[in-house]
């Protein structure tokens, strides 16, 4: 089971780029890295997933170095509405034989965006 | 909008009572997950279904908790003999085949045990 470590909280300002790093030193060969966003009183929302190098979608980018022992979620030009908790998950896809161990959200990173 | 729905949204019950929650996943999703979340913590995995089969249960899930998905569509989560420690947000999520970690979550059911 690949355990993840994230900062408990981060602050930034509107219009800035925010990078949240997640450490997963024991990541296994079959493990994927997934990030979720959660607002108060709502369920988490899938943001992005990757295996290696860089993945980009309309919301964020995910940078994964060659050793895959960490990953960085990058949010470009944040706004006040990006204030939320961000979770990093690591685990193998179940259809590949991975179990539910990867569905461990941890405490996440509480990102606060100020005007 | 045909997202994941949960019912009820809020439930207050007295200790020792049984409660049942319902989750309706996105219609084409064959996988359904239940989580529990307490204040300041991330969601905690409870159990998951693929179609009607319950494939995995967390070791943290006590015998008072049971989940079903009888026809591979909606699911119910029952808690028997509720305790104050069961007070939490119960989240349901679903995903399509091959996308384990791209889950779509419902709004949750907030349970308060008095």
């Amino acid at each position: 089971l690949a355990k993840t470590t994230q900062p408990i909280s981060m602050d930034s300002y509107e219009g800035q780029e925010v990078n949240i790093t997640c450490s997963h030193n024991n990541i296994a060969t079959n493990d994927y890295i997934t990030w979720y966003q959660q607002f108060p009183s709502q369920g988490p929302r899938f943001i992005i997933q990757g295996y290696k190098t860089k993945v980009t979608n309309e919301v964020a980018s995910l940078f994964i170095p060659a050793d895959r022992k960490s990953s960085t979620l990058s949010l470009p030009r944040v706004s006040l509405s990006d204030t939320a908790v961000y979770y990093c998950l690591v685990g193998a896809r179940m259809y590949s034989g991975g179990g539910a161990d990867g569905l461990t959200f941890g405490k996440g990173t509480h990102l606060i965006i100020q005007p | 909008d045909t997202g994941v729905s949960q019912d009820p949204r809020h439930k207050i019950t007295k200790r020792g009572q049984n409660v049942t929650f319902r989750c309706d996943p996105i219609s084409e999703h064959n996988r359904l997950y239940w989580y529990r979340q307490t204040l300041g913590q991330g969601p905690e995995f409870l159990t998951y279904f693929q179609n009607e089969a319950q494939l995995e249960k967390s070791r943290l899930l006590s015998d008072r908790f049971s989940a079903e998905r009888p026809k591979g569509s909606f699911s119910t989560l029952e808690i028997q003999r509720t305790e104050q420690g069961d007070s939490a947000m119960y989240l349901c999520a679903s995903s399509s085949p091959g996308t384990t970690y791209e889950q779509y979550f419902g709004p949750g059911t907030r349970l308060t045990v008095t």
Side-chain angles (χ1 to χ4, degrees), chain A residues 34 36 38 43-44 46 49 87 91-95 99-100 102-103 105-107, chain B residues 31 33 35 37 40-43 45 48 56 91 98 100-103 105-107:
Chain A
T34 311
Y36 280 85
Q38 187 176 27
F46 172 88
Q49 181 181 86
Y87 297 98
R93 292 179 172 174
M94 288 178 183
Y95 74 86
L103 297 175
F105 278 75
K107 292 188 178 183
Chain B
R31 292 192 171 126
Y33 313 79
Y35 296 83
Q37 185 172 26
Q41 305 295 317
F45 170 78
Y48 114 92
E56 192 155 346
L91 294 162
T100 304
Y101 296 105
E102 187 171 348
Q103 297 181 19
F105 281 79

Side-chain angles (χ1 to χ4, degrees), chain A residues 38-101:
Chain A
Q38 187 176 27
F39 299 113
S41 300
Q42 294 186 24
R45 181 177 76 106
F46 172 88
I47 300 176
I48 198 166
Q49 181 181 86
Y51 182 79
K52 61 181 180 180
T53 62
K54 177 183 175 182
V55 179
T56 297
N57 61 23
E58 64 278 6
V59 176
S61 295
L62 178 59
F63 298 92
I64 305 169
D67 65 6
R68 303 198 330 120
K69 293 184 183 298
S70 67
S71 58
T72 299
L73 175 72
S74 181
L75 304 173
R77 297 180 298 281
V78 294
S79 64
L80 296 176
S81 63
D82 291 315
T83 294
V85 179
Y86 293 81
Y87 297 98
C88 166
L89 278 70
V90 173
R93 292 179 172 174
M94 288 178 183
Y95 74 86
S96 298
D101 284 346

